[in-house]
PDB file of all heavy atoms in Angstrom:
ATOM      1  N   PHE A  36     -17.712 309.804 197.527  1.00  0.00           N
ATOM      2  CA  PHE A  36     -18.898 309.339 196.827  1.00  0.00           C
ATOM      3  C   PHE A  36     -20.018 310.217 197.373  1.00  0.00           C
ATOM      4  O   PHE A  36     -20.523 309.977 198.469  1.00  0.00           O
ATOM      5  CB  PHE A  36     -19.170 307.863 197.123  1.00  0.00           C
ATOM      6  CG  PHE A  36     -18.270 306.929 196.377  1.00  0.00           C
ATOM      7  CD1 PHE A  36     -17.026 306.585 196.875  1.00  0.00           C
ATOM      8  CD2 PHE A  36     -18.675 306.395 195.152  1.00  0.00           C
ATOM      9  CE1 PHE A  36     -16.194 305.721 196.180  1.00  0.00           C
ATOM     10  CE2 PHE A  36     -17.845 305.527 194.453  1.00  0.00           C
ATOM     11  CZ  PHE A  36     -16.600 305.195 194.965  1.00  0.00           C
ATOM     12  N   LEU A  37     -20.342 311.261 196.640  1.00  0.00           N
ATOM     13  CA  LEU A  37     -21.303 312.263 197.086  1.00  0.00           C
ATOM     14  C   LEU A  37     -22.597 312.079 196.301  1.00  0.00           C
ATOM     15  O   LEU A  37     -22.607 312.145 195.074  1.00  0.00           O
ATOM     16  CB  LEU A  37     -20.705 313.660 196.900  1.00  0.00           C
ATOM     17  CG  LEU A  37     -19.333 313.834 197.582  1.00  0.00           C
ATOM     18  CD1 LEU A  37     -18.724 315.179 197.240  1.00  0.00           C
ATOM     19  CD2 LEU A  37     -19.435 313.617 199.085  1.00  0.00           C
ATOM     20  N   PHE A  38     -23.673 311.811 197.030  1.00  0.00           N
ATOM     21  CA  PHE A  38     -24.946 311.409 196.437  1.00  0.00           C
ATOM     22  C   PHE A  38     -25.971 312.532 196.497  1.00  0.00           C
ATOM     23  O   PHE A  38     -26.126 313.179 197.541  1.00  0.00           O
ATOM     24  CB  PHE A  38     -25.515 310.203 197.192  1.00  0.00           C
ATOM     25  CG  PHE A  38     -24.713 308.940 197.019  1.00  0.00           C
ATOM     26  CD1 PHE A  38     -23.675 308.618 197.894  1.00  0.00           C
ATOM     27  CD2 PHE A  38     -24.999 308.067 195.979  1.00  0.00           C
ATOM     28  CE1 PHE A  38     -22.944 307.452 197.735  1.00  0.00           C
ATOM     29  CE2 PHE A  38     -24.270 306.887 195.818  1.00  0.00           C
ATOM     30  CZ  PHE A  38     -23.242 306.589 196.699  1.00  0.00           C
ATOM     31  N   ASP A  39     -26.682 312.714 195.372  1.00  0.00           N
ATOM     32  CA  ASP A  39     -27.789 313.670 195.372  1.00  0.00           C
ATOM     33  C   ASP A  39     -29.026 312.997 195.964  1.00  0.00           C
ATOM     34  O   ASP A  39     -28.984 311.810 196.328  1.00  0.00           O
ATOM     35  CB  ASP A  39     -28.029 314.241 193.968  1.00  0.00           C
ATOM     36  CG  ASP A  39     -28.595 313.241 192.964  1.00  0.00           C
ATOM     37  OD1 ASP A  39     -28.977 312.109 193.339  1.00  0.00           O
ATOM     38  OD2 ASP A  39     -28.666 313.615 191.771  1.00  0.00           O
ATOM     39  N   GLY A  40     -30.128 313.730 196.051  1.00  0.00           N
ATOM     40  CA  GLY A  40     -31.355 313.211 196.647  1.00  0.00           C
ATOM     41  C   GLY A  40     -31.942 312.025 195.913  1.00  0.00           C
ATOM     42  O   GLY A  40     -32.700 311.252 196.489  1.00  0.00           O
ATOM     43  N   GLY A  41     -31.577 311.850 194.639  1.00  0.00           N
ATOM     44  CA  GLY A  41     -32.069 310.719 193.858  1.00  0.00           C
ATOM     45  C   GLY A  41     -31.145 309.518 193.898  1.00  0.00           C
ATOM     46  O   GLY A  41     -31.360 308.537 193.173  1.00  0.00           O
ATOM     47  N   GLY A  42     -30.087 309.579 194.719  1.00  0.00           N
ATOM     48  CA  GLY A  42     -29.163 308.452 194.844  1.00  0.00           C
ATOM     49  C   GLY A  42     -28.105 308.386 193.759  1.00  0.00           C
ATOM     50  O   GLY A  42     -27.444 307.364 193.594  1.00  0.00           O
ATOM     51  N   LYS A  43     -27.924 309.482 193.007  1.00  0.00           N
ATOM     52  CA  LYS A  43     -26.891 309.505 191.971  1.00  0.00           C
ATOM     53  C   LYS A  43     -25.590 310.064 192.531  1.00  0.00           C
ATOM     54  O   LYS A  43     -25.586 310.906 193.424  1.00  0.00           O
ATOM     55  CB  LYS A  43     -27.354 310.343 190.780  1.00  0.00           C
ATOM     56  CG  LYS A  43     -28.500 309.696 190.022  1.00  0.00           C
ATOM     57  CD  LYS A  43     -28.868 310.500 188.808  1.00  0.00           C
ATOM     58  CE  LYS A  43     -29.971 309.783 188.024  1.00  0.00           C
ATOM     59  NZ  LYS A  43     -30.344 310.567 186.835  1.00  0.00           N
ATOM     60  N   ILE A  44     -24.486 309.567 191.970  1.00  0.00           N
ATOM     61  CA  ILE A  44     -23.146 309.958 192.390  1.00  0.00           C
ATOM     62  C   ILE A  44     -22.668 311.123 191.531  1.00  0.00           C
ATOM     63  O   ILE A  44     -22.795 311.091 190.306  1.00  0.00           O
ATOM     64  CB  ILE A  44     -22.152 308.786 192.218  1.00  0.00           C
ATOM     65  CG1 ILE A  44     -22.591 307.566 193.021  1.00  0.00           C
ATOM     66  CG2 ILE A  44     -20.731 309.217 192.598  1.00  0.00           C
ATOM     67  CD1 ILE A  44     -21.840 306.283 192.666  1.00  0.00           C
ATOM     68  N   CYS A  45     -22.096 312.128 192.172  1.00  0.00           N
ATOM     69  CA  CYS A  45     -21.514 313.253 191.447  1.00  0.00           C
ATOM     70  C   CYS A  45     -20.091 312.894 191.014  1.00  0.00           C
ATOM     71  O   CYS A  45     -19.304 312.391 191.820  1.00  0.00           O
ATOM     72  CB  CYS A  45     -21.472 314.496 192.330  1.00  0.00           C
ATOM     73  SG  CYS A  45     -20.739 315.925 191.507  1.00  0.00           S
ATOM     74  N   LEU A  46     -19.776 313.144 189.744  1.00  0.00           N
ATOM     75  CA  LEU A  46     -18.427 312.993 189.216  1.00  0.00           C
ATOM     76  C   LEU A  46     -18.023 314.294 188.542  1.00  0.00           C
ATOM     77  O   LEU A  46     -18.878 315.042 188.061  1.00  0.00           O
ATOM     78  CB  LEU A  46     -18.351 311.860 188.192  1.00  0.00           C
ATOM     79  CG  LEU A  46     -18.673 310.453 188.659  1.00  0.00           C
ATOM     80  CD1 LEU A  46     -18.610 309.485 187.469  1.00  0.00           C
ATOM     81  CD2 LEU A  46     -17.738 310.001 189.758  1.00  0.00           C
ATOM     82  N   VAL A  47     -16.721 314.546 188.502  1.00  0.00           N
ATOM     83  CA  VAL A  47     -16.198 315.713 187.801  1.00  0.00           C
ATOM     84  C   VAL A  47     -15.118 315.276 186.819  1.00  0.00           C
ATOM     85  O   VAL A  47     -14.499 314.224 186.988  1.00  0.00           O
ATOM     86  CB  VAL A  47     -15.635 316.772 188.776  1.00  0.00           C
ATOM     87  CG1 VAL A  47     -16.744 317.366 189.627  1.00  0.00           C
ATOM     88  CG2 VAL A  47     -14.539 316.205 189.649  1.00  0.00           C
ATOM     89  N   ARG A  48     -14.926 316.120 185.800  1.00  0.00           N
ATOM     90  CA  ARG A  48     -13.889 315.849 184.811  1.00  0.00           C
ATOM     91  C   ARG A  48     -13.254 317.185 184.417  1.00  0.00           C
ATOM     92  O   ARG A  48     -13.879 317.998 183.734  1.00  0.00           O
ATOM     93  CB  ARG A  48     -14.493 315.144 183.595  1.00  0.00           C
ATOM     94  CG  ARG A  48     -13.475 314.831 182.515  1.00  0.00           C
ATOM     95  CD  ARG A  48     -13.986 313.876 181.484  1.00  0.00           C
ATOM     96  NE  ARG A  48     -14.976 314.478 180.601  1.00  0.00           N
ATOM     97  CZ  ARG A  48     -15.442 313.891 179.509  1.00  0.00           C
ATOM     98  NH1 ARG A  48     -15.039 312.688 179.161  1.00  0.00           N
ATOM     99  NH2 ARG A  48     -16.350 314.494 178.763  1.00  0.00           N
ATOM    100  N   PRO A  49     -11.994 317.390 184.843  1.00  0.00           N
ATOM    101  CA  PRO A  49     -11.325 318.638 184.469  1.00  0.00           C
ATOM    102  C   PRO A  49     -11.098 318.750 182.960  1.00  0.00           C
ATOM    103  O   PRO A  49     -11.323 319.803 182.384  1.00  0.00           O
ATOM    104  CB  PRO A  49      -9.989 318.585 185.212  1.00  0.00           C
ATOM    105  CG  PRO A  49     -10.130 317.519 186.234  1.00  0.00           C
ATOM    106  CD  PRO A  49     -11.202 316.584 185.743  1.00  0.00           C
ATOM    107  N   THR A  50     -10.663 317.669 182.348  1.00  0.00           N
ATOM    108  CA  THR A  50     -10.477 317.623 180.895  1.00  0.00           C
ATOM    109  C   THR A  50     -10.807 316.210 180.442  1.00  0.00           C
ATOM    110  O   THR A  50     -10.714 315.253 181.232  1.00  0.00           O
ATOM    111  CB  THR A  50      -9.021 317.932 180.479  1.00  0.00           C
ATOM    112  OG1 THR A  50      -8.160 316.919 181.005  1.00  0.00           O
ATOM    113  CG2 THR A  50      -8.573 319.310 180.956  1.00  0.00           C
ATOM    114  N   GLU A  51     -11.168 316.064 179.193  1.00  0.00           N
ATOM    115  CA  GLU A  51     -11.508 314.740 178.682  1.00  0.00           C
ATOM    116  C   GLU A  51     -10.329 313.782 178.822  1.00  0.00           C
ATOM    117  O   GLU A  51     -10.501 312.618 179.182  1.00  0.00           O
ATOM    118  CB  GLU A  51     -11.937 314.838 177.219  1.00  0.00           C
ATOM    119  CG  GLU A  51     -12.541 313.561 176.708  1.00  0.00           C
ATOM    120  CD  GLU A  51     -13.176 313.723 175.341  1.00  0.00           C
ATOM    121  OE1 GLU A  51     -13.675 314.815 175.029  1.00  0.00           O
ATOM    122  OE2 GLU A  51     -13.166 312.733 174.595  1.00  0.00           O
ATOM    123  N   LYS A  52      -9.119 314.285 178.570  1.00  0.00           N
ATOM    124  CA  LYS A  52      -7.924 313.441 178.651  1.00  0.00           C
ATOM    125  C   LYS A  52      -7.712 312.883 180.064  1.00  0.00           C
ATOM    126  O   LYS A  52      -7.308 311.746 180.232  1.00  0.00           O
ATOM    127  CB  LYS A  52      -6.693 314.254 178.226  1.00  0.00           C
ATOM    128  CG  LYS A  52      -5.411 313.466 178.231  1.00  0.00           C
ATOM    129  CD  LYS A  52      -4.248 314.320 177.773  1.00  0.00           C
ATOM    130  CE  LYS A  52      -2.958 313.527 177.821  1.00  0.00           C
ATOM    131  NZ  LYS A  52      -1.805 314.334 177.457  1.00  0.00           N
ATOM    132  N   ARG A  53      -8.013 313.681 181.074  1.00  0.00           N
ATOM    133  CA  ARG A  53      -7.790 313.240 182.464  1.00  0.00           C
ATOM    134  C   ARG A  53      -8.911 312.358 182.980  1.00  0.00           C
ATOM    135  O   ARG A  53      -8.745 311.663 183.975  1.00  0.00           O
ATOM    136  CB  ARG A  53      -7.583 314.454 183.362  1.00  0.00           C
ATOM    137  CG  ARG A  53      -6.232 315.090 183.075  1.00  0.00           C
ATOM    138  CD  ARG A  53      -5.994 316.384 183.768  1.00  0.00           C
ATOM    139  NE  ARG A  53      -6.193 316.323 185.197  1.00  0.00           N
ATOM    140  CZ  ARG A  53      -6.346 317.423 185.930  1.00  0.00           C
ATOM    141  NH1 ARG A  53      -6.331 318.606 185.383  1.00  0.00           N
ATOM    142  NH2 ARG A  53      -6.515 317.316 187.233  1.00  0.00           N
ATOM    143  N   GLY A  54     -10.066 312.377 182.361  1.00  0.00           N
ATOM    144  CA  GLY A  54     -11.136 311.460 182.715  1.00  0.00           C
ATOM    145  C   GLY A  54     -11.970 311.876 183.916  1.00  0.00           C
ATOM    146  O   GLY A  54     -11.680 312.840 184.611  1.00  0.00           O
ATOM    147  N   TRP A  55     -13.029 311.095 184.134  1.00  0.00           N
ATOM    148  CA  TRP A  55     -13.961 311.333 185.238  1.00  0.00           C
ATOM    149  C   TRP A  55     -13.371 310.854 186.548  1.00  0.00           C
ATOM    150  O   TRP A  55     -12.646 309.866 186.584  1.00  0.00           O
ATOM    151  CB  TRP A  55     -15.279 310.604 184.970  1.00  0.00           C
ATOM    152  CG  TRP A  55     -16.034 311.172 183.812  1.00  0.00           C
ATOM    153  CD1 TRP A  55     -16.106 310.639 182.557  1.00  0.00           C
ATOM    154  CD2 TRP A  55     -16.790 312.370 183.787  1.00  0.00           C
ATOM    155  NE1 TRP A  55     -16.880 311.439 181.753  1.00  0.00           N
ATOM    156  CE2 TRP A  55     -17.315 312.517 182.483  1.00  0.00           C
ATOM    157  CE3 TRP A  55     -17.085 313.346 184.739  1.00  0.00           C
ATOM    158  CZ2 TRP A  55     -18.116 313.593 182.113  1.00  0.00           C
ATOM    159  CZ3 TRP A  55     -17.881 314.416 184.365  1.00  0.00           C
ATOM    160  CH2 TRP A  55     -18.392 314.533 183.071  1.00  0.00           C
ATOM    161  N   ARG A  56     -13.755 311.527 187.626  1.00  0.00           N
ATOM    162  CA  ARG A  56     -13.311 311.137 188.954  1.00  0.00           C
ATOM    163  C   ARG A  56     -14.274 311.669 190.004  1.00  0.00           C
ATOM    164  O   ARG A  56     -15.121 312.504 189.724  1.00  0.00           O
ATOM    165  CB  ARG A  56     -11.905 311.633 189.221  1.00  0.00           C
ATOM    166  CG  ARG A  56     -11.757 313.140 189.196  1.00  0.00           C
ATOM    167  CD  ARG A  56     -10.301 313.526 189.425  1.00  0.00           C
ATOM    168  NE  ARG A  56     -10.085 314.933 189.334  1.00  0.00           N
ATOM    169  CZ  ARG A  56     -10.320 315.814 190.303  1.00  0.00           C
ATOM    170  NH1 ARG A  56     -10.836 315.413 191.442  1.00  0.00           N
ATOM    171  NH2 ARG A  56     -10.070 317.083 190.135  1.00  0.00           N
ATOM    172  N   LEU A  57     -14.105 311.164 191.209  1.00  0.00           N
ATOM    173  CA  LEU A  57     -14.873 311.661 192.344  1.00  0.00           C
ATOM    174  C   LEU A  57     -14.358 313.047 192.729  1.00  0.00           C
ATOM    175  O   LEU A  57     -13.158 313.317 192.602  1.00  0.00           O
ATOM    176  CB  LEU A  57     -14.698 310.727 193.543  1.00  0.00           C
ATOM    177  CG  LEU A  57     -15.178 309.294 193.364  1.00  0.00           C
ATOM    178  CD1 LEU A  57     -14.651 308.422 194.496  1.00  0.00           C
ATOM    179  CD2 LEU A  57     -16.696 309.239 193.297  1.00  0.00           C
ATOM    180  N   PRO A  58     -15.220 313.921 193.234  1.00  0.00           N
ATOM    181  CA  PRO A  58     -14.719 315.193 193.759  1.00  0.00           C
ATOM    182  C   PRO A  58     -13.838 314.941 194.980  1.00  0.00           C
ATOM    183  O   PRO A  58     -14.101 314.047 195.777  1.00  0.00           O
ATOM    184  CB  PRO A  58     -15.996 315.937 194.177  1.00  0.00           C
ATOM    185  CG  PRO A  58     -17.109 315.266 193.443  1.00  0.00           C
ATOM    186  CD  PRO A  58     -16.681 313.834 193.273  1.00  0.00           C
ATOM    187  N   GLY A  59     -12.804 315.735 195.090  1.00  0.00           N
ATOM    188  CA  GLY A  59     -11.917 315.616 196.236  1.00  0.00           C
ATOM    189  C   GLY A  59     -10.547 316.142 195.914  1.00  0.00           C
ATOM    190  O   GLY A  59     -10.309 316.687 194.837  1.00  0.00           O
ATOM    191  N   GLY A  60      -9.646 315.983 196.858  1.00  0.00           N
ATOM    192  CA  GLY A  60      -8.294 316.466 196.635  1.00  0.00           C
ATOM    193  C   GLY A  60      -7.440 316.400 197.874  1.00  0.00           C
ATOM    194  O   GLY A  60      -7.655 315.576 198.761  1.00  0.00           O
ATOM    195  N   THR A  61      -6.505 317.319 197.947  1.00  0.00           N
ATOM    196  CA  THR A  61      -5.460 317.330 198.966  1.00  0.00           C
ATOM    197  C   THR A  61      -5.844 318.228 200.140  1.00  0.00           C
ATOM    198  O   THR A  61      -6.298 319.354 199.933  1.00  0.00           O
ATOM    199  CB  THR A  61      -4.149 317.852 198.338  1.00  0.00           C
ATOM    200  OG1 THR A  61      -3.848 317.033 197.203  1.00  0.00           O
ATOM    201  CG2 THR A  61      -3.003 317.790 199.317  1.00  0.00           C
ATOM    202  N   PRO A  62      -5.622 317.751 201.365  1.00  0.00           N
ATOM    203  CA  PRO A  62      -5.856 318.616 202.521  1.00  0.00           C
ATOM    204  C   PRO A  62      -4.965 319.859 202.470  1.00  0.00           C
ATOM    205  O   PRO A  62      -3.805 319.778 202.067  1.00  0.00           O
ATOM    206  CB  PRO A  62      -5.473 317.728 203.713  1.00  0.00           C
ATOM    207  CG  PRO A  62      -5.552 316.330 203.207  1.00  0.00           C
ATOM    208  CD  PRO A  62      -5.191 316.402 201.753  1.00  0.00           C
ATOM    209  N   GLU A  63      -5.530 320.981 202.854  1.00  0.00           N
ATOM    210  CA  GLU A  63      -4.788 322.230 202.946  1.00  0.00           C
ATOM    211  C   GLU A  63      -4.800 322.660 204.410  1.00  0.00           C
ATOM    212  O   GLU A  63      -5.805 323.185 204.895  1.00  0.00           O
ATOM    213  CB  GLU A  63      -5.417 323.300 202.055  1.00  0.00           C
ATOM    214  CG  GLU A  63      -5.344 322.954 200.577  1.00  0.00           C
ATOM    215  CD  GLU A  63      -5.954 324.022 199.681  1.00  0.00           C
ATOM    216  OE1 GLU A  63      -6.137 325.179 200.130  1.00  0.00           O
ATOM    217  OE2 GLU A  63      -6.236 323.694 198.519  1.00  0.00           O
ATOM    218  N   PRO A  64      -3.682 322.430 205.135  1.00  0.00           N
ATOM    219  CA  PRO A  64      -3.644 322.704 206.572  1.00  0.00           C
ATOM    220  C   PRO A  64      -4.058 324.127 206.960  1.00  0.00           C
ATOM    221  O   PRO A  64      -4.644 324.328 208.019  1.00  0.00           O
ATOM    222  CB  PRO A  64      -2.185 322.430 206.944  1.00  0.00           C
ATOM    223  CG  PRO A  64      -1.714 321.460 205.911  1.00  0.00           C
ATOM    224  CD  PRO A  64      -2.445 321.839 204.645  1.00  0.00           C
ATOM    225  N   ALA A  65      -3.810 325.101 206.099  1.00  0.00           N
ATOM    226  CA  ALA A  65      -4.193 326.477 206.417  1.00  0.00           C
ATOM    227  C   ALA A  65      -5.711 326.680 206.370  1.00  0.00           C
ATOM    228  O   ALA A  65      -6.234 327.614 206.979  1.00  0.00           O
ATOM    229  CB  ALA A  65      -3.510 327.447 205.457  1.00  0.00           C
ATOM    230  N   LYS A  66      -6.427 325.805 205.653  1.00  0.00           N
ATOM    231  CA  LYS A  66      -7.877 325.943 205.485  1.00  0.00           C
ATOM    232  C   LYS A  66      -8.676 324.843 206.166  1.00  0.00           C
ATOM    233  O   LYS A  66      -9.818 325.059 206.551  1.00  0.00           O
ATOM    234  CB  LYS A  66      -8.235 325.928 203.995  1.00  0.00           C
ATOM    235  CG  LYS A  66      -7.707 327.088 203.203  1.00  0.00           C
ATOM    236  CD  LYS A  66      -8.127 326.951 201.750  1.00  0.00           C
ATOM    237  CE  LYS A  66      -7.602 328.088 200.908  1.00  0.00           C
ATOM    238  NZ  LYS A  66      -7.978 327.948 199.504  1.00  0.00           N
ATOM    239  N   ASP A  67      -8.107 323.640 206.267  1.00  0.00           N
ATOM    240  CA  ASP A  67      -8.859 322.464 206.695  1.00  0.00           C
ATOM    241  C   ASP A  67      -8.417 321.984 208.075  1.00  0.00           C
ATOM    242  O   ASP A  67      -7.238 321.719 208.289  1.00  0.00           O
ATOM    243  CB  ASP A  67      -8.649 321.316 205.688  1.00  0.00           C
ATOM    244  CG  ASP A  67      -8.987 321.720 204.259  1.00  0.00           C
ATOM    245  OD1 ASP A  67      -9.858 322.572 204.063  1.00  0.00           O
ATOM    246  OD2 ASP A  67      -8.356 321.155 203.332  1.00  0.00           O
TER     247      ASP A  67
END
Side-chain angles (χ1 to χ4, degrees):
F36 283 86
L37 306 174
F38 292 90
D39 69 8
K43 292 184 177 180
I44 302 167
C45 179
L46 298 177
V47 294
R48 180 167 72 171
T50 64
E51 191 170 329
K52 182 179 178 183
R53 289 172 53 197
W55 293 103
R56 62 182 177 81
L57 298 167
T61 304
E63 295 181 18
K66 295 180 181 179
D67 306 330

